[in-house]
């Protein structure tokens, strides 16, 4: 186990803020997880797991040990006439894994193409896009429980998956995911009803959707809509879409007929946070080094090398203005350190 000191986190997270970590180590085996946590416990120093850093904002130096997850490997465990069971190391790149499955014609995660990050982080906030969530294909998650110092295997129900949340997000830093088991489909049911997927398939004259055609459509849509973190700092959607009661929804829709919302149960509606932010006039606004992306109000962008706290303060201004205008409290999706 090699521990480096005073390491810059700038190139290790997609907002690119120039904060430092007191200690840093790479994790390329399950043994390395145990050793590193033991080291942190003996030193009585906090720790955090870093995948690709595409959902983290550092607002100050991290006075502790950063464990960069690099456990690799995609292993086929079992194959039946209709399904394929795969075990994937937490450090594998998510999009690489999606394309690996797409090329084999295995369906289930093609709608999640081009989401930045690692496979190990996918269960943390149950990544989702275009009507599909990681939980739809996850069978088991293997993780190190830092409270009991044991490796455990959790099934799908144990993981308590929800909209951009899970047990792992609720109990931040308790579990370190080392691998994830997925079930992929050989005769998948395609999900084309979300976003512009159908439209893009139609433009490309793809009459019979395939895993590959959907992945390509999603890649095209995302490339056109979202800023590339390699060119401009961002962490995708900064806020979650809030939920409100039906009664409150009816009050709002009477006042704002263009409000974007949809029912998730008989009594609960999900509101498009991007619509609320745009309605407050934030779309395309820049203050100092930070801005609200001109093509998608849910995305906060970092134009220069400003400090992370500037991004946090900008997000707080957005939260306060949405609260004032709509009486809805937005919750950050991005993890703040
Ligand atoms: C341009 C862009 C578009 C995006 N689009 C989407 C989208 O469509 N849908 C979506 O859901 N998300 C989206 N995201 C957010 C991000 O891609 C996901 O949250 C992704 O899963 C983060 O992976 P990561 O490896 O970068 O995690 P990190 O940012 O490194 O970490 C995120 C959190 O997970 C924890 N963590 C990471 N790995 C582990 C592990 N092995 N064990 C335990 N804890 C761990 C970290 O401590 C942290 O709390 C987008 C981000 C960007 C920049």
């Amino acid at each position: 186990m090699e521990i480096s000191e005073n390491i810059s986190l700038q190139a290790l997270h997609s907002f690119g803020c120039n904060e430092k970590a007191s200690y840093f180590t790479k994790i390329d085996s399950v043994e390395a997880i145990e050793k590193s946590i033991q080291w942190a416990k003996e030193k009585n120093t906090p720790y955090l797991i870093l995948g690709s850093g595409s959902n983290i904002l550092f607002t100050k130096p991290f006075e502790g040990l950063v464990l960069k997850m690099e456990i690799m490997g995609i292993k086929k465990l079992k194959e039946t006439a209709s399904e394929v069971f795969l075990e994937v190391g937490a450090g594998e790149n998510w999009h690489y894994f999606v394309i690996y499955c797409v090329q084999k014609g295995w369906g289930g995660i093609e709608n999640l193409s081009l989401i930045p990050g690692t496979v190990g982080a996918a269960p943390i906030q149950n990544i989702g896009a275009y009507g599909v969530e990681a939980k739809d294909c996850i069978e088991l998650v293997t993780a190190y429980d830092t409270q009991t110092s044991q490796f455990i295997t959790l099934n799908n129900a144990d993981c308590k998956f929800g909209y951009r949340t899970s047990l792992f997000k609720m109990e931040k830093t308790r579990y370190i995911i080392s691998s994830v088991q997925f079930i992929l489909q050989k005769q998948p049911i395609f999900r084309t009803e979300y976003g512009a997927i159908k439209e893009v398939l139609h433009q490309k004259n793809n009459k019979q959707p395939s895993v590959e055609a959907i992945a390509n459509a999603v890649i095209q849509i995302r490339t056109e809509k979202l800023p590339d973190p390699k060119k401009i700092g961002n962490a995708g959607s900064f806020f979650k879409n809030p939920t409100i009661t039906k009664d409150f929804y009816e009050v709002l829709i009477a006042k704002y007929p263009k409000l974007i919302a949809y029912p998730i149960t008989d009594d609960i509606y999900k509101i498009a946070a991007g619509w609320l932010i745009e309605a407050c006039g934030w779309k395309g606004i820049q203050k100092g080094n930070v801005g609200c992306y001109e093509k998608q109000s849910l995305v906060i962008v970092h134009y220069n090398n400003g400090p992370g706290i500037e991004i946090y303060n900008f997000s707080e201004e957005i939260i306060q203005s949405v609260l004032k205008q709509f009486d809805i409290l937005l919750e950050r999706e991005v993890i703040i350190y």
Side-chain angles (χ1 to χ4, degrees):
M1 185 183 66
E2 213 174 285
I3 308 259
S4 318
E5 289 188 34
N6 211 18
I7 292 295
S8 169
L9 297 167
Q10 191 161 28
L12 298 173
H13 72 298
S14 60
F15 266 123
C17 305
N18 195 10
E19 301 294 353
K20 286 190 169 165
S22 312
Y23 307 104
F24 177 86
T25 191
K26 289 182 179 172
I27 299 293
D28 57 6
S29 66
V30 288
E31 295 78 23
I33 297 180
E34 280 183 290
K35 282 188 190 153
S36 308
I37 295 302
Q38 187 63 28
W39 185 90
K41 281 184 179 169
E42 277 164 17
K43 222 172 162 45
N44 201 19
T45 192
Y47 57 87
L48 83 86
I49 322 301
L50 195 60
S52 307
S54 56
N55 208 29
I56 282 191
L57 172 62
F58 290 102
T59 58
K60 53 183 182 296
F62 184 71
E63 314 272 357
L65 173 65
V66 169
L67 293 88
K68 172 95 171 67
M69 179 50 70
E70 294 192 352
I71 296 178
M72 308 305 275
I74 303 179
K75 195 162 115 193
K76 195 203 283 177
L77 300 174
K78 194 166 84 173
E79 186 167 356
T80 67
S82 56
E83 292 172 328
V84 181
F85 296 72
L86 298 172
E87 183 177 48
V88 188
E92 286 287 349
N93 176 275
W94 173 262
H95 180 63
Y96 171 82
F97 170 56
V98 172
I99 296 306
Y100 175 90
C101 296
V102 165
Q103 283 172 350
K104 306 233 180 233
W106 300 333
I109 51 173
E110 58 280 3
N111 293 42
L112 305 180
S113 296
L114 216 60
I115 297 183
T118 52
V119 167
I124 306 287
Q125 72 154 4
N126 179 26
I127 55 169
Y130 302 101
V132 172
E133 292 181 318
K135 75 164 171 50
D136 303 336
C137 291
I138 291 176
E139 191 190 29
L140 299 171
V141 173
T142 302
Y144 183 70
D145 182 346
T146 58
Q147 273 183 17
T148 61
S149 304
Q150 303 276 335
F151 276 93
I152 51 167
T153 298
L154 299 139
N155 67 26
N156 190 295
D158 294 334
C159 295
K160 298 193 178 140
F161 290 122
Y163 164 62
R164 296 298 181 276
T165 191
S166 70
L167 170 75
F168 315 108
K169 196 163 179 178
M170 290 179 245
E171 297 202 37
K172 196 174 157 187
T173 76
R174 174 169 174 182
Y175 300 100
I176 301 177
I177 295 174
S178 54
S179 66
V180 184
Q181 281 186 36
F182 295 88
I183 309 182
L184 281 308
Q185 304 299 323
K186 289 182 172 174
Q187 287 93 35
I189 297 166
F190 298 119
R191 308 292 303 268
T192 58
E193 67 276 24
Y194 285 81
I197 296 181
K198 257 191 194 151
E199 208 178 302
V200 174
L201 290 175
H202 183 73
Q203 277 164 15
K204 293 193 182 292
N205 215 8
N206 263 312
K207 290 192 181 95
Q208 291 242 299
S210 64
V211 171
E212 194 178 7
I214 292 174
N216 287 338
V218 169
I219 291 168
Q220 181 182 325
I221 299 164
R222 292 184 69 99
T223 309
E224 284 166 6
K225 207 177 80 172
L226 292 168
D228 179 354
K230 288 194 192 98
K231 296 185 186 144
I232 179 166
N234 77 93
S237 303
F238 200 93
F239 304 98
K240 290 186 183 185
N241 290 317
T243 49
I244 58 170
T245 62
K246 188 175 184 222
D247 288 350
F248 188 29
Y249 165 75
E250 277 164 4
V251 172
L252 283 181
I253 198 76
K255 201 166 166 193
Y256 306 100
K258 290 188 177 156
L259 177 77
I260 300 176
Y262 55 94
I264 49 172
T265 67
D266 287 349
D267 298 322
I268 304 289
Y269 275 70
K270 191 173 272 183
I271 312 290
W275 188 90
L276 298 172
I277 295 167
E278 198 175 329
C280 289
W282 285 100
K283 196 173 193 179
I285 294 291
Q286 182 177 353
K287 289 191 174 190
N289 298 301
V290 189
C292 180
Y293 192 50
E294 74 267 14
K295 291 188 196 166
Q296 168 55 275
S297 316
L298 258 188
V299 178
I300 293 184
V301 282
H302 188 206
Y303 293 106
N304 300 306
N305 286 336
I309 193 68
E310 214 180 320
I311 300 169
Y312 181 85
N313 291 341
F314 186 84
S315 73
E316 190 57 34
E317 274 193 66
I318 292 180
I319 289 174
Q320 291 309 324
S321 76
V322 169
L323 184 63
K324 194 167 167 212
Q325 185 159 337
F326 296 102
D327 202 18
I328 292 176
L329 183 64
L330 291 182
E331 192 187 333
R332 293 177 183 89
E333 181 183 307
V334 172
I335 311 276
I336 311 291
Y337 274 97

